[in-house]
Short mmCIF file of all heavy atoms in Angstrom, two decimals:
data_model
loop_
_atom_site.label_atom_id
_atom_site.label_comp_id
_atom_site.label_asym_id
_atom_site.label_seq_id
_atom_site.Cartn_x
_atom_site.Cartn_y
_atom_site.Cartn_z
N ILE A 318 -22.06 18.48 0.83
CA ILE A 318 -21.41 18.79 2.12
C ILE A 318 -19.92 19.06 1.93
O ILE A 318 -19.40 20.11 2.31
CB ILE A 318 -21.59 17.62 3.11
CG1 ILE A 318 -23.07 17.28 3.31
CG2 ILE A 318 -20.90 17.94 4.44
CD1 ILE A 318 -23.87 18.28 4.11
N CYS A 319 -19.24 18.10 1.33
CA CYS A 319 -17.77 18.17 1.18
C CYS A 319 -17.44 18.89 -0.13
O CYS A 319 -16.82 18.33 -1.03
CB CYS A 319 -17.20 16.76 1.21
SG CYS A 319 -15.43 16.68 1.53
N THR A 320 -17.84 20.14 -0.21
CA THR A 320 -17.76 20.93 -1.43
C THR A 320 -16.33 21.44 -1.67
O THR A 320 -15.51 21.45 -0.75
CB THR A 320 -18.74 22.11 -1.34
OG1 THR A 320 -18.55 22.77 -0.08
CG2 THR A 320 -20.18 21.64 -1.43
N PRO A 321 -16.04 21.90 -2.89
CA PRO A 321 -14.66 22.32 -3.19
C PRO A 321 -14.16 23.43 -2.27
O PRO A 321 -13.00 23.40 -1.84
CB PRO A 321 -14.76 22.81 -4.65
CG PRO A 321 -15.91 22.05 -5.22
CD PRO A 321 -16.88 21.89 -4.10
N THR A 322 -14.99 24.42 -1.99
CA THR A 322 -14.60 25.48 -1.07
C THR A 322 -15.58 25.53 0.10
O THR A 322 -16.76 25.20 -0.06
CB THR A 322 -14.59 26.86 -1.78
OG1 THR A 322 -15.88 27.09 -2.35
CG2 THR A 322 -13.54 26.89 -2.88
N SER A 323 -15.11 25.91 1.24
CA SER A 323 -15.93 26.02 2.46
C SER A 323 -16.79 24.78 2.71
O SER A 323 -18.02 24.87 2.77
CB SER A 323 -16.83 27.25 2.39
OG SER A 323 -16.09 28.42 2.15
N PRO A 324 -16.17 23.60 2.86
CA PRO A 324 -16.95 22.40 3.16
C PRO A 324 -17.71 22.55 4.48
O PRO A 324 -17.21 23.17 5.42
CB PRO A 324 -15.89 21.29 3.24
CG PRO A 324 -14.60 22.00 3.51
CD PRO A 324 -14.72 23.33 2.83
N SER A 325 -18.91 21.97 4.53
CA SER A 325 -19.76 22.08 5.72
C SER A 325 -19.43 20.95 6.70
O SER A 325 -20.25 20.05 6.94
CB SER A 325 -21.24 22.03 5.33
OG SER A 325 -21.53 23.03 4.39
N CYS A 326 -18.24 21.01 7.29
CA CYS A 326 -17.74 19.91 8.11
C CYS A 326 -18.66 19.61 9.30
O CYS A 326 -18.80 18.45 9.70
CB CYS A 326 -16.33 20.20 8.59
SG CYS A 326 -15.13 20.31 7.24
N LEU A 327 -19.28 20.64 9.87
CA LEU A 327 -20.12 20.41 11.05
C LEU A 327 -21.39 19.64 10.72
O LEU A 327 -22.03 19.08 11.61
CB LEU A 327 -20.45 21.75 11.73
CG LEU A 327 -19.24 22.51 12.28
CD1 LEU A 327 -19.66 23.80 12.95
CD2 LEU A 327 -18.44 21.64 13.26
N LEU A 328 -21.75 19.60 9.44
CA LEU A 328 -22.92 18.83 9.01
C LEU A 328 -22.54 17.46 8.46
O LEU A 328 -23.41 16.67 8.07
CB LEU A 328 -23.69 19.60 7.92
CG LEU A 328 -24.24 20.97 8.30
CD1 LEU A 328 -24.87 21.64 7.09
CD2 LEU A 328 -25.26 20.84 9.43
N CYS A 329 -21.24 17.16 8.42
CA CYS A 329 -20.77 15.96 7.74
C CYS A 329 -20.99 14.71 8.59
O CYS A 329 -20.57 14.65 9.75
CB CYS A 329 -19.29 16.09 7.41
SG CYS A 329 -18.62 14.63 6.57
N PRO A 330 -21.62 13.68 8.02
CA PRO A 330 -21.90 12.46 8.78
C PRO A 330 -20.67 11.61 9.07
O PRO A 330 -20.70 10.73 9.92
CB PRO A 330 -22.87 11.70 7.86
CG PRO A 330 -22.50 12.16 6.48
CD PRO A 330 -22.13 13.61 6.64
N VAL A 331 -19.57 11.87 8.33
CA VAL A 331 -18.36 11.07 8.54
C VAL A 331 -17.21 11.95 9.04
O VAL A 331 -16.03 11.61 8.88
CB VAL A 331 -17.95 10.30 7.25
CG1 VAL A 331 -18.95 9.19 6.95
CG2 VAL A 331 -17.84 11.24 6.05
N ARG A 332 -17.55 13.06 9.68
CA ARG A 332 -16.54 13.98 10.22
C ARG A 332 -15.59 13.28 11.19
O ARG A 332 -14.39 13.52 11.20
CB ARG A 332 -17.27 15.13 10.93
CG ARG A 332 -16.37 16.17 11.55
CD ARG A 332 -17.18 17.27 12.20
NE ARG A 332 -17.87 16.81 13.40
CZ ARG A 332 -19.20 16.74 13.54
NH1 ARG A 332 -19.99 17.09 12.54
NH2 ARG A 332 -19.75 16.32 14.66
N GLU A 333 -16.15 12.36 11.99
CA GLU A 333 -15.33 11.66 12.99
C GLU A 333 -14.24 10.80 12.34
O GLU A 333 -13.25 10.47 12.98
CB GLU A 333 -16.22 10.77 13.88
CG GLU A 333 -17.25 11.54 14.70
CD GLU A 333 -16.62 12.66 15.54
OE1 GLU A 333 -15.57 12.39 16.17
OE2 GLU A 333 -17.14 13.79 15.52
N HIS A 334 -14.45 10.43 11.09
CA HIS A 334 -13.49 9.57 10.39
C HIS A 334 -12.51 10.37 9.54
O HIS A 334 -11.65 9.78 8.87
CB HIS A 334 -14.24 8.58 9.48
CG HIS A 334 -15.34 7.83 10.16
ND1 HIS A 334 -15.12 6.69 10.91
CD2 HIS A 334 -16.68 8.08 10.23
CE1 HIS A 334 -16.28 6.26 11.40
NE2 HIS A 334 -17.24 7.09 11.00
N CYS A 335 -12.64 11.70 9.51
CA CYS A 335 -11.95 12.53 8.53
C CYS A 335 -10.62 13.07 9.08
O CYS A 335 -10.59 13.90 10.00
CB CYS A 335 -12.85 13.69 8.10
SG CYS A 335 -12.10 14.75 6.85
N HIS A 336 -9.53 12.62 8.47
CA HIS A 336 -8.20 13.07 8.91
C HIS A 336 -7.96 14.55 8.60
O HIS A 336 -7.35 15.26 9.39
CB HIS A 336 -7.11 12.20 8.26
CG HIS A 336 -6.98 10.85 8.89
ND1 HIS A 336 -7.83 9.82 8.59
CD2 HIS A 336 -6.13 10.37 9.83
CE1 HIS A 336 -7.49 8.75 9.31
NE2 HIS A 336 -6.47 9.06 10.07
N ALA A 337 -8.44 15.01 7.45
CA ALA A 337 -8.23 16.42 7.10
C ALA A 337 -8.93 17.33 8.10
O ALA A 337 -8.39 18.36 8.51
CB ALA A 337 -8.74 16.69 5.69
N PHE A 338 -10.14 16.94 8.54
CA PHE A 338 -10.87 17.75 9.53
C PHE A 338 -10.10 17.81 10.85
O PHE A 338 -9.92 18.88 11.43
CB PHE A 338 -12.27 17.17 9.74
CG PHE A 338 -13.05 17.85 10.84
CD1 PHE A 338 -13.56 19.13 10.66
CD2 PHE A 338 -13.26 17.22 12.05
CE1 PHE A 338 -14.26 19.77 11.68
CE2 PHE A 338 -13.96 17.84 13.08
CZ PHE A 338 -14.47 19.12 12.89
N HIS A 339 -9.63 16.67 11.29
CA HIS A 339 -8.92 16.62 12.57
C HIS A 339 -7.57 17.34 12.51
O HIS A 339 -7.10 17.86 13.52
CB HIS A 339 -8.74 15.16 13.02
CG HIS A 339 -10.03 14.51 13.42
ND1 HIS A 339 -10.82 14.99 14.44
CD2 HIS A 339 -10.69 13.44 12.92
CE1 HIS A 339 -11.91 14.23 14.57
NE2 HIS A 339 -11.85 13.29 13.63
N GLU A 340 -6.99 17.38 11.29
CA GLU A 340 -5.71 18.08 11.12
C GLU A 340 -5.91 19.56 10.77
O GLU A 340 -4.94 20.33 10.70
CB GLU A 340 -4.89 17.40 10.01
CG GLU A 340 -4.43 15.98 10.37
CD GLU A 340 -3.98 15.19 9.14
OE1 GLU A 340 -3.79 15.80 8.06
OE2 GLU A 340 -3.84 13.96 9.25
N GLY A 341 -7.18 19.94 10.51
CA GLY A 341 -7.48 21.34 10.15
C GLY A 341 -7.02 21.74 8.77
O GLY A 341 -6.75 22.92 8.51
N VAL A 342 -6.94 20.76 7.84
CA VAL A 342 -6.43 21.07 6.50
C VAL A 342 -7.48 20.81 5.41
O VAL A 342 -7.15 20.69 4.23
CB VAL A 342 -5.14 20.25 6.19
CG1 VAL A 342 -4.00 20.69 7.09
CG2 VAL A 342 -5.39 18.75 6.30
N GLU A 343 -8.76 20.75 5.82
CA GLU A 343 -9.80 20.41 4.84
C GLU A 343 -9.88 21.42 3.68
O GLU A 343 -10.24 21.06 2.56
CB GLU A 343 -11.18 20.28 5.51
CG GLU A 343 -11.75 21.56 6.11
CD GLU A 343 -11.29 21.81 7.53
OE1 GLU A 343 -10.39 21.09 8.03
OE2 GLU A 343 -11.84 22.74 8.15
N ASN A 344 -9.50 22.67 3.94
CA ASN A 344 -9.56 23.68 2.87
C ASN A 344 -8.34 23.62 1.94
O ASN A 344 -8.32 24.28 0.90
CB ASN A 344 -9.69 25.09 3.45
CG ASN A 344 -11.10 25.34 3.98
OD1 ASN A 344 -12.07 25.12 3.26
ND2 ASN A 344 -11.21 25.77 5.23
N GLU A 345 -7.33 22.85 2.31
CA GLU A 345 -6.14 22.71 1.48
C GLU A 345 -6.21 21.49 0.57
O GLU A 345 -5.37 21.30 -0.32
CB GLU A 345 -4.89 22.61 2.36
CG GLU A 345 -4.62 23.88 3.18
CD GLU A 345 -3.49 23.68 4.18
OE1 GLU A 345 -2.45 23.11 3.78
OE2 GLU A 345 -3.66 24.07 5.35
N LEU A 346 -7.19 20.66 0.80
CA LEU A 346 -7.36 19.44 0.00
C LEU A 346 -8.65 19.51 -0.80
O LEU A 346 -9.62 20.13 -0.37
CB LEU A 346 -7.38 18.21 0.93
CG LEU A 346 -6.04 17.84 1.55
CD1 LEU A 346 -6.22 16.82 2.67
CD2 LEU A 346 -5.08 17.30 0.49
N PRO A 347 -8.71 18.87 -1.97
CA PRO A 347 -7.64 18.10 -2.58
C PRO A 347 -6.59 18.99 -3.25
O PRO A 347 -6.85 20.15 -3.53
CB PRO A 347 -8.38 17.27 -3.63
CG PRO A 347 -9.52 18.15 -4.04
CD PRO A 347 -9.94 18.87 -2.79
N VAL A 348 -5.42 18.40 -3.51
CA VAL A 348 -4.38 19.07 -4.30
C VAL A 348 -4.78 18.95 -5.77
O VAL A 348 -5.06 17.85 -6.26
CB VAL A 348 -3.00 18.41 -4.08
CG1 VAL A 348 -1.97 19.03 -5.00
CG2 VAL A 348 -2.59 18.53 -2.62
N LYS A 349 -4.86 20.10 -6.42
CA LYS A 349 -5.26 20.07 -7.84
C LYS A 349 -4.57 21.22 -8.58
O LYS A 349 -4.82 22.38 -8.31
CB LYS A 349 -6.78 20.22 -7.97
CG LYS A 349 -7.29 20.07 -9.40
CD LYS A 349 -8.80 20.18 -9.45
CE LYS A 349 -9.32 19.97 -10.88
NZ LYS A 349 -10.78 20.12 -10.95
N THR A 350 -3.71 20.86 -9.53
CA THR A 350 -3.02 21.89 -10.32
C THR A 350 -4.02 22.50 -11.31
O THR A 350 -4.96 21.84 -11.75
CB THR A 350 -1.83 21.31 -11.10
OG1 THR A 350 -2.27 20.16 -11.83
CG2 THR A 350 -0.72 20.90 -10.16
N LYS A 351 -3.78 23.75 -11.63
CA LYS A 351 -4.69 24.47 -12.52
C LYS A 351 -4.52 24.00 -13.96
O LYS A 351 -3.43 23.66 -14.41
CB LYS A 351 -4.42 25.97 -12.46
CG LYS A 351 -4.96 26.61 -11.18
CD LYS A 351 -4.99 28.13 -11.32
CE LYS A 351 -5.81 28.75 -10.21
NZ LYS A 351 -5.20 28.64 -8.89
N ALA A 352 -5.65 23.99 -14.68
CA ALA A 352 -5.62 23.61 -16.10
C ALA A 352 -4.94 24.69 -16.92
O ALA A 352 -4.83 25.84 -16.50
CB ALA A 352 -7.05 23.39 -16.59
N LYS A 353 -4.52 24.30 -18.12
CA LYS A 353 -3.90 25.28 -19.03
C LYS A 353 -4.93 26.33 -19.44
O LYS A 353 -6.12 26.06 -19.47
CB LYS A 353 -3.38 24.57 -20.29
CG LYS A 353 -2.21 23.65 -20.03
CD LYS A 353 -1.84 22.91 -21.30
CE LYS A 353 -0.75 21.89 -21.03
NZ LYS A 353 -0.51 21.02 -22.18
N LYS A 354 -4.41 27.51 -19.81
CA LYS A 354 -5.28 28.60 -20.23
C LYS A 354 -6.01 28.21 -21.52
O LYS A 354 -5.46 27.56 -22.40
CB LYS A 354 -4.44 29.86 -20.46
CG LYS A 354 -5.27 31.11 -20.56
CD LYS A 354 -4.39 32.34 -20.68
CE LYS A 354 -5.25 33.59 -20.82
NZ LYS A 354 -4.43 34.78 -21.08
#
Side-chain angles (χ1 to χ4, degrees):
I318 304 287
C319 197
T320 49
T322 56
S323 305
S325 304
C326 296
L327 296 181
L328 299 175
C329 180
V331 290
R332 179 179 70 245
E333 297 306 315
H334 310 277
C335 182
H336 284 80
F338 174 72
H339 291 300
E340 294 163 13
V342 294
E343 66 273 9
N344 286 308
E345 296 173 46
L346 288 167
V348 175
K349 186 178 182 182
T350 51
K351 285 194 167 69
K353 292 176 185 171
K354 195 176 178 186

